[in-house]
């Protein structure tokens, strides 16, 4: 999101541990802690950012994207379109918002 120029961001995560670390600003001397530290650093560069914990069932699009991400050998950013594998889930999410 940051590399794409987005500075107003909502981050949703299904990991309770990651949400706890983000929301409390906890870091530790581990790979996980370094990842959290980097995210918090980038978050400070945003105009608006919020973190929320969402059960996996509540964000099926993100879960499916995580599953298929190993099929891509390089970084992929979808701004106006989405992979065919998640199109039906995106449409379902959009219908729930409206």
């Amino acid at each position: 999101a940051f590399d794409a120029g987005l500075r107003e961001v909502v981050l949703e995560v299904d990991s309770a541990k990651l949400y706890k670390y983000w929301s409390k600003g906890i870091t530790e001397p581990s790979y996980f802690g370094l990842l959290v530290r980097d995210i918090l650093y980038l978050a400070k560069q945003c105009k608006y950012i919020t973190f929320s914990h969402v059960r996996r069932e509540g964000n099926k699009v993100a879960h499916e994207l995580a599953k298929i991400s190993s099929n891509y050998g390089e970084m992929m950013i979808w701004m106006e379109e989405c992979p065919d594998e998640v199109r039906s889930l995106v449409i379902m999410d959009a219908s729930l918002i409206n």
Side-chain angles (χ1 to χ4, degrees):
F2 193 83
D3 287 348
L6 301 174
R7 298 297 182 267
E8 296 182 14
V9 181
V10 175
L11 292 176
E12 296 180 342
V13 62
D14 64 2
S15 166
K17 179 181 178 181
L18 185 53
Y19 174 72
K20 176 183 173 184
Y21 277 53
W22 278 347
S23 62
K24 296 182 184 279
I26 300 170
T27 60
E28 60 183 36
S30 67
Y31 179 75
F32 182 80
L34 293 175
L35 178 66
V36 172
R37 188 191 70 197
D38 287 350
I39 293 168
L40 292 171
Y41 172 79
L42 291 172
K44 289 180 183 177
Q45 313 302 312
C46 291
K47 180 178 174 183
Y48 170 84
I49 189 163
T50 185
F51 302 112
S52 63
H53 180 254
V54 178
R55 292 183 179 268
R56 184 172 296 161
E57 303 84 35
N59 197 341
K60 293 179 181 178
V61 175
H63 182 67
E64 192 62 30
L65 283 172
K67 283 180 17 184
I68 67 169
S69 66
S70 63
N71 297 335
Y72 299 99
E74 59 190 41
M75 185 171 88
M76 302 292 292
I77 298 174
W78 296 281
M79 297 293 286
E80 306 258 341
E81 72 282 337
C82 66
D84 291 336
E85 298 93 334
V86 298
R87 187 172 317 279
S88 63
L89 295 172
V90 170
I91 292 168
M92 187 172 46
D93 272 2
S95 70
L96 295 174
I97 294 171
N98 295 327

